[in-house]
Structures are given as structure tokens and as C-alpha cells.
Amino acid sequence: MEAFIRGLPKAELHLHLEGTLEPELALRLAHKHGVALPHSTIEGLRQSYRFTDLQSFLDIYLAASKVLRDEDDFHALTSAYLRRARSEGIAHVEVFFDPQSHTERDVAFVTVLHGIHRALLQGEREFGITHRLILCFLRHLSATEAMRTLEQALPHKAAIAAVGLDSSEIGHPPHKFAEVFERARREGLLAVAHAGEEGPAGYVREALDVLKVQRIDHGVRYEEDPELVEHLARERVPLTMCPLSNLKLGVFARMADHNILRLLRRGLCVTVNSDDPAYFGGYLTENYLAVHQGLGATADELVQLARNSFEASFLPQVHKNRWLSSIDDYVRRTPV
């Protein structure tokens, strides 16, 4: 099954580039820049990637990101992820970056963007992996700061497909950023938002109704609102779910409790993603395997999840159709 999953064409739509910072690269960059980390060994640093909830994770995540200082660092981070993506059958990626976590350390916005974008273009040339880049606002910061970041991004919007919203959800409802997302829409940018991970189902409604997002990141709590479930199913609003992340952060106590398969079987456009895989113990293949092993997903259901990943993407329809046909060809010629 692992070999079948690795070979299955798929897209990844919920991936934080900073969350792919493996200890090996973190230590190399720390040495390069003379940055002190809590541990000086790979194993020690990996053991420090421990947390009990979203906030404790974010504290570790943001602390590790301080080793990212120059354009080559962001290029190396992105390139490392793309090399792994190629080995896992990922044909298209729509990745998040958090510029505010770097600009507040006096790293220039263009330094972050140029390093990431250069690696994405290189990945397309060398591996054939297409991409969309999503600028995320940190919701624990103010809407004024988010607008300032958007202003920094607009001269470079040709490299950015969409804006998103991440970081601490509790106490930071989507409507806090209504003006920022409205401005982004006027500038032609698409929109997504984390909602319904820690926050209530009402945050999912706000993200859809106020921020006008095209898809919801996480969204596991929206079952609390049956009318919302019916709306999402009827409109095929995509949900970018991250099973191992939800398990690691205590959103679900056991993988057997996760609702992704239940929602898939109800006809919702749910997708599998890895979120912050360096911290959560698994990249995309491991997340598909977790759905198979922990929830009993069949091969047909895994294939449907892969099909959903292209349907939910921001690719043009003609490219979506091409990848859906590639999945059909793969299934016909590949026994499980």
C-alpha cells in the first residue's frame, strides 16, 4: 500500500514551508549564522519538537524559524521539501509561507519571497512539480500588521496566488481580518483560511461568509453545525485536512476518532495534507497511510482523496483534468 500511495499522482494543498525545517537543516543554518538553538545535535533537536497543543507547537515552530536569515536559506528550505515531494508522487503543491515571522526579525520580505520563489521555479523545471504560493497572515498579530504585510507583497503579487490565515485560532476570529482579505480580493488574489481546528464551527462560517475564502484549511470542527455540513457538501467547498497534525496536537485522541473518512463518505471534498511535517512525524505519504491504517480507508477511497486534491487546487480546469486522467491511468495499471 505504501508503494501504491507513493506512486499515486496527488497534490498537496496545506503545507507550511517553515514547518518542513528538519533538524539537519536547522543545525546547518544555525552554524552558518551563529544562532543558538536549544540543542546542538540532530537527535536532541528532534526530541525537542514536542508539544501538547497548538500554542506550544507555535512557540517551538517560531523559535526554530529564526535560523532562516538570507535568500539562500529560504531556497534551501523550499528545495528540500520539493525533493521529498518528488519522491512521494506529488505533482502539484500549494504552499504557505509566513513572512511576518521573518520580517519581525528584520529579514526583508523580498529576501523571504525571492528565496522561496526561486526554489519553486527550479522545482518546476527540474521535477515538473507545479506550484501556487500562499501568503499567510499570523492571526495573533493585528489586522493593521497584516495589511502592512499585504502592502509589502503587492508589488510582487505575480509570484503569489492567494492569501491565507494561520497561527493561534482561539480569540482571533476571521472577521478580524475582513478588510485585509477584501483588499487582497480587489488585487486579484484568491483566499483560504485556517478555521475550525481549535476554533468553533462558527469560524468556518465566518471564513466563508466574511473572508470569502475558496477553501477551508483544517475545518474538522464544522460537524458541530449540521447546516454547515450540508452547505459544504452541496457546494463542494474543499477542506484541506491534516490527520497526523490533528493527532499530534490533540485535536483527536486517536486516529480512529478522526472524521476525514466519515466526511469523504458523505460526499465532501476533503483532502489529505501534512501541515508541518518536520514537527508532526510524517509527510504526505505517512498521512495517507495513517488514514488507511488508522481508519481503514480502502484503495478506492485513497484514490478519491487524491482526485479531490486536484479538484480543490487552484490549477486551471484543463490541468486538473489532465491529472485526473493520470490518476485513472495509474489505477488501471497498478495493482494494490
Side-chain angles (χ1 to χ4, degrees):
M1 182 59 76
E2 180 176 351
F4 177 80
I5 291 169
R6 283 188 178 276
L8 180 65
K10 49 198 171 291
E12 180 150 42
L13 309 179
H14 187 148
L15 184 286
H16 299 267
L17 285 170
E18 292 90 346
T20 67
L21 182 60
E22 293 287 346
E24 293 85 348
L25 180 58
L27 287 171
R28 178 158 61 86
L29 297 181
H31 178 75
K32 171 184 172 181
H33 296 296
V35 175
L37 290 175
H39 297 272
S40 59
T41 66
I42 292 171
E43 187 55 35
L45 194 56
R46 195 178 301 281
Q47 289 299 316
S48 74
Y49 285 11
R50 292 181 175 177
F51 28 82
T52 56
D53 56 20
L54 180 59
Q55 188 56 56
S56 61
F57 157 66
L58 289 171
D59 292 341
I60 296 169
Y61 170 91
L62 293 172
S65 294
K66 68 184 180 181
V67 303
L68 299 164
R69 298 292 181 94
D70 61 33
E71 184 176 323
D72 287 343
D73 299 344
F74 291 96
H75 180 274
L77 177 75
T78 308
S79 294
Y81 165 68
L82 292 172
R83 286 192 295 272
R84 186 181 288 264
R86 178 183 62 166
S87 74
E88 297 197 14
I90 300 173
H92 177 72
V93 298
E94 299 189 358
V95 294
F96 304 127
F97 75 116
D98 292 330
Q100 289 167 290
S101 65
H102 311 296
T103 55
E104 68 180 7
R105 298 183 290 107
D106 296 323
V107 177
F109 180 91
V110 293
T111 296
V112 181
L113 178 63
H114 288 172
I116 293 171
H117 190 234
R118 181 160 56 92
L120 290 171
L121 293 176
Q122 183 179 345
E124 186 162 357
R125 289 193 306 270
E126 295 183 3
F127 308 144
I129 299 174
T130 54
H131 66 271
R132 298 292 185 272
L133 184 59
I134 302 171
L135 183 163
C136 277
F137 304 114
L138 299 177
R139 67 200 307 157
H140 69 274
L141 300 179
S142 70
T144 299
E145 291 171 284
M147 187 68 82
R148 188 179 304 125
T149 298
L150 179 60
E151 295 283 357
Q152 290 178 301
L154 290 178
H156 313 282
K157 66 180 182 180
I160 300 168
V163 295
L165 191 62
D166 62 8
S167 186
S168 310
E169 191 176 0
I170 297 297
H172 304 287
H175 73 254
K176 172 181 171 182
F177 298 92
E179 292 185 12
V180 181
F181 274 68
E182 182 183 2
R183 174 70 188 283
R185 283 198 305 278
R186 291 201 308 267
E187 296 290 343
L189 295 171
L190 300 168
V192 301
H194 287 48
E197 178 187 16
E198 282 194 319
Y203 281 16
V204 177
R205 280 195 177 276
E206 276 195 23
L208 293 169
D209 297 341
V210 179
L211 302 187
K212 311 295 185 186
V213 301
Q214 276 76 32
R215 64 181 183 237
I216 295 292
D217 300 315
H218 289 301
V220 294
R221 290 189 59 184
Y222 75 88
E223 281 186 300
E224 297 168 3
D225 183 340
E227 290 184 4
L228 181 60
V229 174
E230 293 305 316
H231 170 76
L232 295 174
R234 184 173 61 252
E235 301 297 326
R236 293 286 289 172
V237 177
L239 296 165
T240 64
M241 291 186 156
C242 307
L244 289 179
S245 166
N246 295 153
L247 190 64
K248 192 82 168 182
L249 294 178
V251 177
F252 294 99
R254 304 175 304 151
M255 187 56 65
D257 298 329
H258 205 289
N259 58 0
I260 185 170
L261 267 196
R262 183 164 66 248
L263 300 174
L264 179 72
R265 290 165 181 169
R266 292 185 64 175
L268 279 80
C269 186
V270 294
T271 68
V272 174
N273 307 272
S274 64
D275 202 2
D276 300 280
Y279 297 87
F280 296 146
Y283 285 77
L284 193 56
T285 295
E286 287 82 7
N287 275 271
Y288 270 81
L289 278 172
V291 174
H292 168 62
Q293 295 169 347
L295 290 168
T298 66
D300 286 344
E301 287 171 329
L302 296 178
V303 169
Q304 185 59 53
L305 288 165
R307 293 179 66 86
N308 288 354
S309 72
F310 289 109
E311 178 187 339
S313 76
F314 293 143
L315 284 168
Q317 190 61 50
V318 64
H319 293 172
K320 294 181 183 184
N321 292 342
R322 186 187 72 187
W323 284 115
L324 294 175
S325 294
S326 293
I327 290 173
D328 292 339
D329 291 343
Y330 176 78
V331 171
R332 277 195 294 269
R333 68 174 188 269
T334 310
V336 180

